[in-house]
Amino acid sequence: MRDVDPKARIAGVFDRAAPTYEQTGVEFYGPPGRALVAHAGITTGERVLDLGCGRGNVFFPAAAAVGPTGTVVGVDFAPVMRRLTTEAAKDLPWVRVTAGDAEYPDFPPCSFDVVTAGFMIFFMPDPAAAVARWAGLLRPGGRLAISTFAESMTAGTTFYADRAAALAPFQRPEQALAGDAREEHDAQRDRVRGWFDRADLTGVTMTELTVRSHYPSADAYWAWWLSVGARRQLERVPPHRVPAARAAITEVLDKHLRHPGGGYLSETPMRLTVARRPG
Ligand SMILES: C[S@@+](CC[C@H](N)C(=O)[O-])C[C@H]1O[C@@H](n2cnc3c(N)ncnc32)[C@H](O)[C@@H]1O
């Protein structure tokens, strides 16, 4: 089996998602991005590092919060994400997007007031070690703010299991890759708290929100699915099998997500965790 660098593979998936990421008309990552900036209390003049900035769902609200007297540095390893976010930020001279590996951010210690990481910690092979490195980039009293899916995302629902089962017959087998992001993106409350505690971060607050996403049609759902990192599940379906796979997924949508007002509605529990470096 050909050995593919897991990070290059993940970056490739996000590059292919980038043109439509949070751009299909379905709100998914926008609301938690804005909420993370609010919960972190990001304010005028602060220096913010946004790890895994993607198309800027955290980055742009942070840029608005710090204003021209502050700075926001976005880091992403996916070139198309970086290019599109850089273009969108062209009128904001106090922000910049840079290439880098968020697992090992290359910045001096104590150089930021706030470090944010929106829906990317599950790509870290050792999340506790990553959180400890991120905490070291904060000035004393600075805040680390991350967003994750809440474990209740899968509790009490068979939607994701049914969706996976419906797609499986159409998928090519996946190469097993060490370090590949977990399919299971839930970050259980106690695990997240453990990462923060081990990094000696204090005053941990956890806030849950449920994001309601409306998909006007099954086509809209498919287009949205292709716009997020989970598109890699669809990339395993050979083109000639896509129509049948779509029909199978529509049945699952009809079973689980039908909205009385038309189309489909998903409700996704998410968690924002914020804590402070002592001092
Ligand atoms: C799910 S997206 C989240 C984007 C954005 N933070 C948001 O909340 O919408 C994850 C992003 O993290 C980036 N990413 C994942 N692992 C990374 C790493 N090790 N270094 C840099 N970027 C990474 C991906 O390229 C992608 O843009």
Side-chain angles (χ1 to χ4, degrees):
M1 186 187 295
R2 200 161 56 91
D3 197 16
V4 182
D5 170 16
K7 285 185 177 169
R9 187 163 176 251
I10 296 167
V13 171
F14 277 107
D15 264 350
R16 292 187 290 281
T20 56
Y21 190 87
E22 199 69 10
Q23 314 288 313
T24 68
V26 173
E27 281 227 303
F28 191 84
Y29 287 117
R34 296 188 289 273
L36 191 67
V37 168
H39 280 274
I42 296 176
T43 187
T44 312
E46 288 197 304
R47 299 159 299 168
V48 178
L49 175 65
D50 181 34
L51 296 168
C53 62
R55 291 291 304 267
N57 290 308
V58 177
F59 180 86
F60 287 110
V66 302
T69 58
T71 54
V72 183
V73 180
V75 174
D76 208 291
F77 64 11
V80 182
M81 284 288 193
R82 289 200 304 275
R83 177 171 56 76
L84 294 170
T85 300
T86 300
E87 282 169 15
K90 67 180 185 336
D91 295 328
L92 308 175
W94 62 97
V95 308
R96 69 186 167 94
V97 178
T98 184
D101 182 354
E103 192 182 352
Y104 299 97
D106 189 12
F107 298 93
C110 308
S111 50
F112 293 98
D113 300 299
V114 186
V115 174
T116 53
F119 296 102
M120 54 78 66
I121 195 155
F122 31 72
F123 297 110
M124 300 295 105
D126 182 346
V131 165
R133 280 190 288 272
W134 300 347
L137 301 178
L138 294 168
R139 63 151 168 90
R143 290 95 73 206
L144 175 65
I146 74 166
S147 49
T148 50
F149 295 105
E151 52 271 21
S152 46
M153 183 172 179
T154 47
T157 169
T158 54
F159 170 65
Y160 289 102
D162 284 1
R163 192 181 75 168
L167 199 63
F170 304 101
Q171 290 174 306
R172 286 184 298 257
E174 184 165 40
Q175 289 179 307
L177 285 173
D180 208 0
R182 288 173 281 282
E183 285 289 344
E184 169 73 69
H185 281 177
D186 295 356
Q188 289 171 359
R189 214 185 157 81
D190 293 347
R191 287 189 67 217
V192 177
R193 182 172 274 281
W195 303 334
F196 277 62
D197 288 346
R198 284 159 63 185
D200 290 330
L201 293 163
T202 59
V204 179
T205 64
M206 291 183 161
T207 308
E208 293 201 11
L209 72 161
T210 299
V211 171
R212 291 164 59 88
S213 307
H214 183 249
Y215 315 84
S217 63
D219 284 351
Y221 186 87
W222 194 269
W224 170 82
W225 196 350
L226 283 168
S227 77
V228 294
R231 68 173 279 132
R232 72 199 189 101
Q233 297 154 4
L234 304 181
E235 291 180 346
R236 291 168 49 203
V237 179
H240 71 281
R241 307 212 69 191
V242 166
R246 288 179 69 145
I249 291 300
T250 300
E251 279 184 28
V252 177
L253 296 175
D254 283 337
K255 178 178 167 196
H256 289 282
L257 300 188
R258 239 186 201 302
H259 183 51
Y264 304 98
L265 183 77
S266 69
E267 299 193 334
T268 309
M270 302 178 176
R271 176 176 300 123
L272 314 173
T273 304
V274 181
R276 190 172 286 279
R277 183 174 174 180

